[in-house]
Amino acid sequence: MSVLTDLDKATGVAVVTLDRPTRLNAIDPTTISELKLIWRELRFNDAIRATVLTGSGTRAFSTGLDRDTAVPQPASPYMQDDPLLTIGPKANDLWKPVIAAVEGMACGGAFYLLGECDFIVAGAAAEFFDPHVTYGMVSAYESMLLAQRMPYGEAARLMLMGMAERTSARRAHEIGLVSELTEPGGALQAAVTCATVIAGHPPTAVQGTVRALWAAKEAARTAAFAQAPHLIALGNLPDEQQAELFAGRRGEGFRVR
């Protein structure tokens, strides 16, 4: 299993854990399939009223798509196939609240998940960054999701600095990307505490509120997403050039802000 689920029917809280610690919880095809199945199962389990999403270990929440197992893309720019578009709870029509508990690195494709969580709790050692531009790729969906969660200038800096800079948990809290900052290792317990409180409220009121909050930004997100395939097709370097950049920049330093 690439994803673990712990259901506590007494509190009404589920904990979903990305469980590929040796790969820094990178997302492979198996993880994609399991996440879609889990979100659907949680839709129909009335005993579970709130969910916490986290990553196994302390090194990373997730480092995004596992490049070693990525599915090849069609050659035509008219047939973009982004597998990560289907991994989030909202994409799977789950309107029960989902709280992210982040320890370590969260980068790249991890933002597909964080962008669909209702709020984020992070340990003080967490770091956020996006490597796309460094490796000759357009950060499209990731940028669009984060631009709705933080000030534009901060989202632009995070995306455009690429591998040269990481946003610290402290800075992420200051700008509103993270709603609560804990001691290292404390994010999961803090998120479960919040989820337990929320799960104690009448579920239809909670779910309606989640849907209302998402509706407030859904139209802008849908319009932005419609542009993403074209931007990616125009701006991405060929795969072989991306691979050269990736190999050439291994081990380079970065600064944490």
Side-chain angles (χ1 to χ4, degrees):
M1 296 288 289
S2 298
V3 183
L4 302 178
T5 310
D6 180 25
L7 308 177
D8 187 340
K9 294 184 178 180
T11 62
V13 173
V15 176
V16 176
T17 305
L18 304 174
D19 191 36
R20 302 185 74 219
T22 60
R23 296 293 295 174
L24 298 178
N25 300 320
I27 301 165
D28 65 348
T30 300
T31 306
I32 292 169
S33 298
E34 291 178 2
L35 281 170
K36 291 164 67 175
L37 180 61
I38 286 168
W39 300 135
R40 181 170 178 80
E41 289 176 347
L42 290 175
R43 284 179 61 205
F44 289 94
N45 189 339
D46 291 338
I48 300 302
R49 299 180 295 279
T51 299
V52 173
L53 174 64
T54 193
S56 180
T58 59
R59 293 181 63 198
F61 169 79
S62 173
T63 53
L65 185 65
D66 190 334
R67 289 177 62 92
D68 292 339
T69 62
V71 178
Q73 294 293 308
S76 170
Y78 299 107
M79 294 186 290
Q80 291 266 328
D81 182 19
D82 190 326
L84 297 187
L85 282 174
T86 61
I87 63 172
K90 307 298 191 296
N92 288 279
D93 205 33
L94 177 68
W95 300 104
K96 299 177 183 181
V98 179
I99 303 166
V102 176
E103 301 283 355
M105 293 180 286
C107 64
F111 296 139
Y112 284 77
L113 287 169
L114 295 182
E116 291 198 12
C117 290
D118 295 294
F119 59 90
I120 300 168
V121 177
E127 296 174 341
F128 303 84
F129 63 100
D130 190 348
H132 277 75
V133 295
T134 299
Y135 300 134
M137 296 180 285
V138 174
S139 177
Y141 296 107
E142 296 88 348
S143 292
M144 293 167 181
L145 286 164
L146 284 201
Q148 291 190 316
R149 301 195 72 108
M150 55 199 294
Y152 173 85
E154 295 290 345
R157 178 167 180 152
L158 189 153
M159 298 305 181
L160 295 175
M161 292 292 286
M163 290 291 290
E165 183 176 274
R166 298 184 181 184
T167 300
S168 66
R170 175 192 57 78
R171 183 60 182 160
H173 184 246
E174 291 172 350
I175 62 179
L177 175 61
V178 168
S179 71
E180 181 178 351
L181 190 61
T182 74
E183 294 298 317
L188 178 58
Q189 184 54 57
V192 168
T193 298
C194 291
T196 302
V197 171
I198 295 169
H201 300 320
T204 54
V206 170
Q207 293 164 26
T209 301
V210 170
R211 192 66 187 89
L213 287 164
W214 190 254
K217 60 182 182 178
E218 193 168 28
R221 173 182 168 275
T222 300
F225 272 24
Q227 302 295 319
H230 313 295
L231 299 173
I232 293 169
L234 286 169
N236 274 15
L237 291 178
D239 289 346
E240 59 273 15
Q241 289 183 254
Q242 293 180 28
E244 289 174 6
L245 287 171
F246 188 81
R249 291 182 178 269
R250 287 184 184 272
E252 286 193 5
F254 58 87
R255 68 187 292 265
V256 178
R257 183 174 68 106

